């Protein structure tokens, strides 16, 4: 049963729980207040009755003693109109006794008291305090006080006076008060339950709005947000936390969607790039297998073309592996690398590729063209050399033969700057922002250079951007003054006081 009650409680809505708890607490409070009030009221009324009894009993005790001392009898008491009162008297003096019943109206309403049996020896046990006795009428009671009667001038007890007063009037007052109080309590509980239901529902309205927002988000609308509330409230802090979490979730979903789109495009372009050399190799192999190549010159030309296609495919695979390693964020070597030395070596490589091209290496600082500054960074030297190799390769491939090129190095604040400038046709502005995308080419056609030189797949600048990103740097495209393209690379500088200047 306990487990069943717990299960039922867990299935009960929060609003019903709060209203139920509030109603139960209100009922407990009203019950305690009503019980305490009726108890105190009853005690107060009984106390009033006891005070009246004490005063009247003392009076009648003295009077009865006076009558008996004069008349030596209590006969006159029975003849007088004592019975017109709302009390009962039981008088015993020596061997004479008299009982005075209550008035007819009192007896009809509350009955007659059942007086205790007393003797001179037991009077002291009942003296000094009031007590309750039964009545001849059910559901009624009488308060009784016993007062001893003593002789004048002595403390000798010769009798007693027992006086009883009905408790019916006090009981009627207590019952009326209890009825009024419990009726009011019931009305308060009903009003409290109704008002509590309204207040709880109104207070939980933000939670219902959060629930509706969560349902909308679960249906796929990640742009929805929880209505804001003051952060001084629990609901406000919950709304702020949920909105922050939803923003991160939406950004993560957008990033995943963009990543999936890039991956699909990457796979499609990679498949296309690999399909071309593979198709060429397969075609030439089928020609050879079918015996279409009958002369040595034809066989040599076919083998050369197969080798060119294999070389192109191998270069593409190497580029894809390089990008995969960079995407995996594998840590490279972190050694001090002087970009001025790498720029000088790259200039020699470019001169070897195009001996007729003028290539200069100079400082970015005006007036210090012949003296290169110390431009040391912390990084992976082979990867940084690959950056320069890709940049000068683009110059050799995409600019007219013999056109000048420049490599500039310098230091700006805490950044080392390397600029590779050419004076070719330049990159149109609409393409400058996308040259670092994978498989992006300014020439929309998929023609490739002959002789198996590779390149043209649109991965060179993507590799440059990935390597610079792993070195916490940045790379950008700009126009060279006078025409051409400038690639600007910035990397965090490594301050080494013990490094001599070049």
């Amino acid at each position: 049963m306990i487990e069943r009650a717990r299960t039922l409680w867990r299935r009960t809505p929060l609003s019903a729980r709060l209203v139920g708890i509030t109603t139960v607490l209100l009922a407990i409070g009203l019950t305690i207040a009503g019980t305490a009030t009726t108890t105190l009221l009853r005690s107060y009324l009984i106390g009033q009755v006891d005070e009246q009894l004490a005063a009247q009993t003392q009076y009648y005790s003295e009077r009865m003693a006076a009558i008996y001392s004069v008349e030596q009898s209590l006969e006159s008491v029975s003849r007088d109109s004592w019975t017109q009162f709302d009390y009962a008297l039981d008088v015993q003096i020596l061997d004479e006794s008299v009982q005075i019943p209550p008035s007819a109206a009192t007896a009809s309403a509350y009955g007659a008291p059942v007086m205790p049996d007393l003797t001179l020896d037991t009077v002291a046990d009942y003296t000094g305090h009031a007590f309750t006795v039964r009545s001849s009428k059910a559901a009624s009671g009488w308060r009784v006080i016993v007062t001893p009667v003593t002789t004048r001038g002595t403390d000798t007890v010769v009798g007693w006076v027992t006086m009883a007063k009905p408790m019916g009037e006090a009981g009627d007052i207590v019952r009326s008060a209890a009825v009024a109080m419990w009726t009011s309590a019931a009305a308060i509980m009903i009003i409290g339950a109704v008002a509590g239901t309204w207040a709880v529902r109104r207070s939980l309205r933000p939670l219902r709005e959060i629930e509706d927002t969560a349902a909308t988000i679960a249906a796929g609308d990640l742009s929805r947000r929880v209505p804001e509330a003051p952060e001084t409230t629990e609901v406000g802090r919950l709304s702020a936390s949920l909105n922050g979490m939803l923003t991160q979730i939406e950004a993560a979903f957008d990033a995943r969607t963009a990543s999936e789109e890039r991956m699909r495009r990457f796979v499609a372009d990679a498949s296309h790039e690999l399909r071309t050399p593979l198709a060429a190799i397969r075609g030439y192999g089928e020609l050879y297998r079918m015996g279409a190549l009958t002369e040595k010159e034809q066989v040599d030309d076919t083998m050369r073309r197969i080798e060119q296609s294999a070389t192109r495919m191998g270069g593409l695979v190497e580029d894809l592996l390089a990008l995969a390693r960079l995407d995996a964020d594998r840590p490279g070597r972190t050694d001090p690398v002087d970009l001025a030395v790498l720029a000088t070596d790259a200039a020699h490589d470019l001169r070897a590729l195009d001996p007729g091209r003028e290539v200069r290496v100079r400082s970015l600082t005006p007036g210090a063209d012949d003296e290169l500054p110390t431009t040391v960074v912390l990084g992976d030297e082979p990867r940084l050399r690959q950056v320069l190799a890709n940049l000068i390769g683009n110059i050799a491939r995409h600019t007219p033969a013999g056109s000048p090129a420049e490599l500039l190095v310098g230091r700006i604040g805490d950044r080392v700057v390397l600029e590779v400038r050419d004076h070719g046709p330049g990159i149109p502005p609409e393409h400058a922002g996308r040259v670092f995308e994978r498989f992006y080419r300014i020439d929309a056609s998929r023609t490739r250079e002959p002789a198996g030189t590779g390149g043209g797949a649109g991965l060179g600048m993507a590799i440059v951007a990935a390597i610079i990103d792993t070195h916490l740097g940045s790379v950008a495209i700009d126009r060279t003054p006078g025409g051409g393209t400038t690639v600007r690379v910035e990397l965090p500088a490594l301050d080494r006081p013990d490094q001599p200047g070049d």
Side-chain angles (χ1 to χ4, degrees):
M1 291 182 63
I2 295 176
E3 185 62 29
R4 189 178 304 171
R6 289 177 178 174
T7 302
L8 180 62
W9 178 255
R10 287 195 295 265
R11 293 178 178 177
T12 303
L14 179 59
S15 58
R17 292 188 193 182
L18 293 176
V19 172
I21 292 173
T22 303
T23 304
V24 169
L25 292 177
L26 185 61
I28 293 174
L30 290 174
T31 300
I32 295 174
T35 303
T37 301
T38 53
T39 301
L40 290 175
L41 178 61
R42 185 175 183 277
S43 299
Y44 173 76
L45 293 177
I46 291 176
Q48 293 292 100
V49 172
D50 292 346
E51 290 179 3
Q52 294 177 5
L53 276 174
Q56 292 177 348
T57 303
Q58 185 65 34
Y59 167 74
Y60 285 116
S61 175
E62 295 174 357
R63 187 171 180 184
M64 293 300 174
I67 291 174
Y68 186 82
S69 64
V70 174
E71 299 180 0
Q72 297 298 312
S73 174
L74 297 175
E75 185 178 354
S76 62
V77 175
S78 302
R79 296 194 302 268
D80 294 338
S81 57
W82 295 86
T83 59
Q84 300 301 316
F85 300 99
D86 61 348
Y87 53 80
L89 282 176
D90 188 355
V91 182
Q92 178 77 33
I93 298 180
L94 297 179
D95 296 331
E96 191 170 358
S97 64
V98 63
Q99 286 79 33
I100 301 175
S103 64
T106 301
S108 175
Y110 307 114
V114 179
M115 295 294 194
D117 293 331
L118 301 177
T119 63
L120 290 177
D121 296 332
T122 60
V123 168
D125 296 336
Y126 292 90
T127 302
H129 63 277
F131 53 94
T132 302
V133 298
R134 294 181 295 105
S135 173
S136 60
K137 189 173 184 179
S140 183
W142 291 69
R143 292 291 286 179
V144 175
I145 286 184
V146 177
T147 302
V149 177
T150 58
T151 57
R152 289 186 177 182
T154 66
D155 294 331
T156 303
V157 177
V158 296
W160 64 85
V161 174
T162 303
M163 187 173 186
K165 194 172 182 64
M167 297 173 58
E169 185 177 356
D172 292 341
I173 294 174
V174 172
R175 281 191 293 272
S176 299
V179 170
M181 192 168 301
W182 292 117
T183 302
S184 301
I188 291 173
M189 285 180 59
I190 294 173
I191 296 173
V194 174
T197 302
W198 175 83
V200 167
R201 288 183 177 179
R202 185 175 181 85
S203 299
L204 294 180
R205 185 183 300 172
L207 293 181
R208 288 194 295 272
E209 293 176 351
I210 293 175
E211 180 183 358
D212 295 339
T213 302
T216 304
I217 293 171
D221 185 6
L222 296 179
S223 62
R224 281 290 299 272
R225 292 294 181 270
V226 176
E228 295 183 356
E231 293 194 7
T232 54
T233 64
E234 292 81 358
V235 174
R237 291 191 292 271
L238 176 62
S239 299
S241 300
L242 287 177
N243 285 334
M245 180 185 69
L246 291 173
T247 300
Q248 294 182 0
I249 291 175
E250 184 181 14
F253 269 92
D254 291 342
R256 189 184 73 174
T257 301
S259 177
E260 291 176 352
E261 179 62 27
R262 288 195 303 269
M263 181 59 66
R264 284 192 293 269
R265 189 169 61 249
F266 179 83
V267 170
D269 289 340
S271 300
H272 184 91
E273 297 295 334
L274 290 172
R275 186 185 301 119
T276 301
L278 283 174
I281 293 173
R282 184 169 53 194
Y284 291 131
E286 289 180 356
L287 286 176
Y288 181 80
R289 180 178 56 81
M290 294 170 61
L293 305 177
T294 59
E295 299 180 2
K296 184 178 183 301
E297 292 78 5
Q298 293 177 334
V299 174
D300 293 341
D301 182 68
T302 300
M303 291 299 105
R304 181 179 56 82
R305 293 181 182 275
I306 291 175
E307 184 180 1
Q308 290 176 358
S309 298
T311 302
R312 183 183 304 165
M313 186 171 61
L316 179 60
V317 171
E318 288 295 330
D319 288 344
L320 292 175
L321 289 176
L323 285 172
R325 285 191 292 267
L326 292 171
D327 289 340
D329 196 21
R330 296 179 182 176
R333 294 185 299 181
T334 53
D335 302 321
V337 180
D338 193 344
L339 289 188
V341 175
L342 269 60
T344 302
D345 295 342
H348 292 313
D349 294 339
L350 184 55
R351 293 190 189 102
L353 291 174
D354 187 0
R357 186 187 301 268
E358 180 186 357
V359 183
R360 295 184 59 193
V361 180
R362 59 188 180 89
S363 172
L364 278 172
T365 305
D369 293 345
D370 296 332
E371 183 180 355
L372 296 180
T374 301
T375 51
V376 180
V377 298
L378 192 64
D380 188 341
E381 182 175 345
R383 287 186 177 180
L384 294 176
R385 286 187 180 276
Q386 186 179 2
V387 169
L388 286 166
N390 288 359
L391 295 180
I392 64 173
N394 284 340
I395 293 177
R397 187 179 302 112
H398 299 297
T399 61
S403 60
E406 297 171 312
L407 287 85
L408 295 85
V409 291
R411 172 88 176 255
I412 300 178
D414 60 349
R415 310 285 281 185
V416 171
V417 180
L418 167 67
E419 291 188 357
V420 179
R421 299 178 181 178
D422 66 59
H423 296 274
I427 298 177
E430 62 271 18
H431 297 287
R434 302 189 60 188
V435 295
F436 298 107
E437 296 181 10
R438 299 177 183 184
F439 293 108
Y440 182 80
R441 292 175 300 277
I442 298 176
D443 183 7
S445 67
R446 295 189 178 269
T447 59
R448 295 293 177 266
E449 297 178 9
T453 57
L459 294 177
M461 295 302 287
I463 293 174
V464 168
I467 292 175
I468 297 302
D469 185 65
T470 60
H471 286 75
L472 305 179
S474 62
V475 59
I477 297 290
D478 201 357
R479 292 186 63 84
T480 301
T485 300
T486 297
V487 180
R488 182 184 178 93
V489 175
E490 294 186 9
L491 294 172
L494 174 64
D495 292 325
R496 297 188 64 192
D498 57 341
Q499 179 72 25
D502 291 337

